[in-house]
Amino acid sequence: MGRGIAIIPTAPEVARNADTHYGYRHDSNFYYLSGFSEPEAVLVLIAGDEHKTILFCREKNLEREIWDGHRVGPDAAAEQFGFDAAYSIAQLDEKLTELMGNQPALFYPLGDDAAWDQRILKLRSAVQEKVRSGIRAPDEIRDVRALLNEMRLFKDAHELDIMHRAAAISTRAHQRAMQFTRPEIFEYQVEAELLHEFCSHGARHPAYTSIVAGGANACVLHYVGNNAQLKDGELLLIDAGCELDGYASDITRTFPVNGKFSAAQKDVYEIVLAAQAAAIAAAQPKQTWNAPHDAALRVLAQGFIDLKLCSGSVDEVLESESYKKFYMHRTGHWLGMDVHDVGDYKIDNDWRALQPGMVLTVEPGCYIRPADDVPRALWNIGIRIEDDVVITAEGNEVLTDAAPKSVADIEELMRIKI
Ligand code: GLY
Ligand code: MN
Ligand code: MN
């Protein structure tokens, strides 16, 4: 980062109602650099002739710990987490005014939080007031996320190990959901099975709100109501993944509520599955970020023509974008600490090349809403198939392969009920 000081606060606790808070989730950048997951903490990094890591965190407080649980406290934090120094969060402003002095540049998540912006600028002004004692305030303020996003995009062996384990837990959850699903139950009952499997394996939270969408609900891309009753003859689309040790997994499977695809459902399903296979095959080092999307689009366009959803040639469907009526999202995103993880998709206006260590999702779909010009047998079919893919030196590895996705494998697993 060059010489300077970086200040990275963690996320605030968020009230749900009255005295109750949402389950606490640290800020991803803060946790990436510190491994520390308590609220009310700030990491300071100094890069100069010597590098220094400093944590500000909650002090020990036996009274509060009786009510809210253990706090590491500055002394133990420095020792256990390997910071060069750690102080009480109450000392933050005073210490920062010292630490900022004579640093050429200040890096922090600029614009992320208005209150932090104000606080940091106020502290910088306080440093400026010391100019007559020969102390300068940082001339330059930069967004630290530009650096961190690029670091986080490339996962090391330790991160990949966690992501493998997260993917394995989510895979089991999807298997469980398939075996549990039957007509007449409610979407939220299937959601409960997913959460059960996540939590039973130590993944205490989903990485995002699970989508459990029966029938027409599958055509609502961000459906999270999860409160409808599942009917015989419908498909069920589940988009759900756990978070483990701060890393996300993200899987979608679509399967018949009664365990057997109808002919029309199977026709659409096989097209989406073939589109996904083409996209995964294109997720290779040196291919661009957009190659999997392009590969999926060509297969989907041909499929939409075959199903009489679109007319013309594949090139015409792609050129006119008539496919967007049935496939309106992109084929994936980076995956990591955030489900839609950080990292640029273009460099200098060109799609960037895929490189080993990058992790992405591959998730084509097809969503057919009722319309006069759409064959009636296809109405309300919504399908997405999503896997998590690591780019390797040789090609790629699909982390979530064990969740069944061929028609035969799904139907076979669903015969064994739990
Ligand atoms: N689950 C969010 C997504 O698939 O992008
Ligand atoms: Mn996704
Ligand atoms: Mn998803």
Side-chain angles (χ1 to χ4, degrees):
M1 76 180 200
R3 295 165 85 91
I5 179 169
I7 303 170
I8 297 139
T10 194
E13 291 179 284
V14 182
R16 183 172 188 273
N17 60 307
D19 289 339
T20 309
H21 287 77
Y22 286 105
Y24 182 69
R25 170 56 157 76
H26 53 250
D27 172 78
S28 295
N29 283 331
F30 174 85
Y31 187 71
Y32 180 75
L33 293 169
S34 68
F36 194 78
S37 60
E38 281 185 22
E40 297 186 82
V42 173
L43 179 68
V44 175
L45 306 176
I46 311 252
D49 293 336
E50 278 179 46
H51 294 341
K52 214 166 169 202
T53 60
I54 304 166
L55 181 77
F56 291 84
C57 66
R58 298 185 303 197
E59 273 178 281
K60 297 290 291 175
N61 178 331
L62 288 183
E63 170 70 13
R64 284 313 324 160
E65 289 182 57
I66 287 169
W67 289 88
D68 302 329
H70 178 71
R71 297 176 173 196
V72 176
D75 293 345
E79 196 180 312
Q80 289 171 18
F81 289 78
F83 300 109
D84 296 317
Y87 302 103
S88 161
I89 190 74
Q91 291 175 274
L92 182 70
D93 288 1
E94 171 203 331
K95 288 274 178 204
L96 275 184
T97 359
E98 279 168 33
L99 292 165
M100 263 193 221
N102 294 329
Q103 292 296 340
L106 164 60
F107 296 75
Y108 87 104
L110 188 62
D112 192 33
D113 178 291
W116 272 109
D117 282 354
Q118 278 196 351
R119 185 166 175 182
I120 296 281
L121 289 177
K122 210 168 141 200
L123 288 171
R124 184 170 168 272
S125 299
V127 182
Q128 266 167 339
E129 281 166 19
K130 298 199 220 171
V131 65
R132 278 178 297 279
S133 355
I135 295 172
R136 282 179 66 95
D139 284 334
E140 205 187 337
I141 301 186
R142 289 180 53 186
D143 188 352
V144 71
R145 288 171 298 186
L147 299 165
L148 291 175
N149 292 356
E150 197 62 15
M151 289 167 70
R152 281 175 50 190
L153 178 56
F154 293 88
K155 278 72 180 175
D156 66 19
H158 173 70
E159 296 178 286
L160 289 175
D161 174 58
I162 301 172
M163 292 189 77
H164 269 100
R165 288 189 284 120
I169 295 169
S170 297
T171 297
R172 292 176 69 138
H174 279 262
Q175 290 169 342
R176 184 182 181 97
M178 284 179 194
Q179 293 187 275
F180 179 79
T181 296
R182 62 205 83 199
E184 309 303 328
I185 62 171
F186 284 82
E187 291 164 343
Y188 51 72
Q189 292 179 275
V190 184
E191 183 180 16
E193 297 300 311
L194 296 163
L195 297 176
H196 170 94
E197 201 67 22
F198 294 166
C199 213
S200 306
H201 294 92
R204 300 283 313 286
H205 302 282
Y208 53 93
T209 306
S210 305
I211 296 171
V212 183
N217 294 336
C219 296
V220 179
L221 295 180
H222 292 158
Y223 176 78
V224 288
N226 298 358
N227 56 6
Q229 195 168 23
L230 299 175
K231 297 194 195 74
D232 200 353
E234 284 179 345
L235 291 173
L236 177 61
L237 182 155
I238 298 180
D239 184 343
C242 68
E243 179 176 295
L244 184 73
D245 296 348
Y247 286 82
S249 53
D250 184 8
I251 304 181
T252 307
R253 289 292 183 265
T254 310
F255 55 90
V257 167
N258 64 14
K260 186 110 186 82
F261 285 87
S262 72
Q265 289 166 349
K266 191 170 162 195
D267 286 346
V268 184
Y269 189 87
E270 293 289 10
I271 290 165
V272 178
L273 189 62
Q276 203 218 19
I280 291 174
Q284 304 277 342
K286 300 204 177 69
Q287 293 274 8
T288 69
W289 158 258
N290 208 43
H293 183 58
D294 278 342
L297 275 187
R298 292 202 81 79
V299 177
L300 289 173
Q302 181 62 59
F304 294 170
I305 294 165
D306 297 343
L307 292 172
K308 307 206 175 345
L309 294 171
C310 292
S311 53
S313 66
V314 166
D315 286 332
E316 283 164 356
V317 169
L318 295 177
E319 177 67 27
S320 67
E321 298 190 338
S322 60
Y323 66 83
K324 282 199 172 166
K325 187 168 164 195
F326 308 103
Y327 182 50
M328 56 299 279
H329 59 77
R330 292 191 52 87
T331 304
H333 48 82
W334 303 131
L335 183 72
M337 288 189 149
D338 296 318
V339 65
H340 293 176
D341 206 28
V342 293
D344 288 335
Y345 291 93
K346 283 188 170 178
I347 293 182
D348 295 337
N349 249 349
D350 291 321
W351 296 115
R352 75 187 299 161
L354 296 174
Q355 290 174 259
M358 293 174 165
V359 184
L360 58 141
T361 66
V362 178
E363 50 177 306
C366 173
Y367 314 91
I368 310 174
R369 289 170 172 271
D372 290 342
D373 55 352
V374 167
R376 202 178 174 100
L378 304 181
W379 284 14
N380 294 323
I381 291 182
I383 293 170
R384 179 164 64 254
I385 307 170
E386 174 174 30
D387 282 294
D388 302 345
V389 178
V390 185
I391 305 298
T392 62
E394 298 76 33
N396 68 49
E397 182 189 0
V398 181
L399 298 179
T400 44
D401 243 354
K405 61 181 171 180
S406 74
V407 165
D409 287 351
I410 289 173
E411 291 185 350
E412 187 185 327
L413 183 68
M414 291 187 73
R415 276 197 282 276
I416 313 156
K417 288 288 166 212
I418 53 168

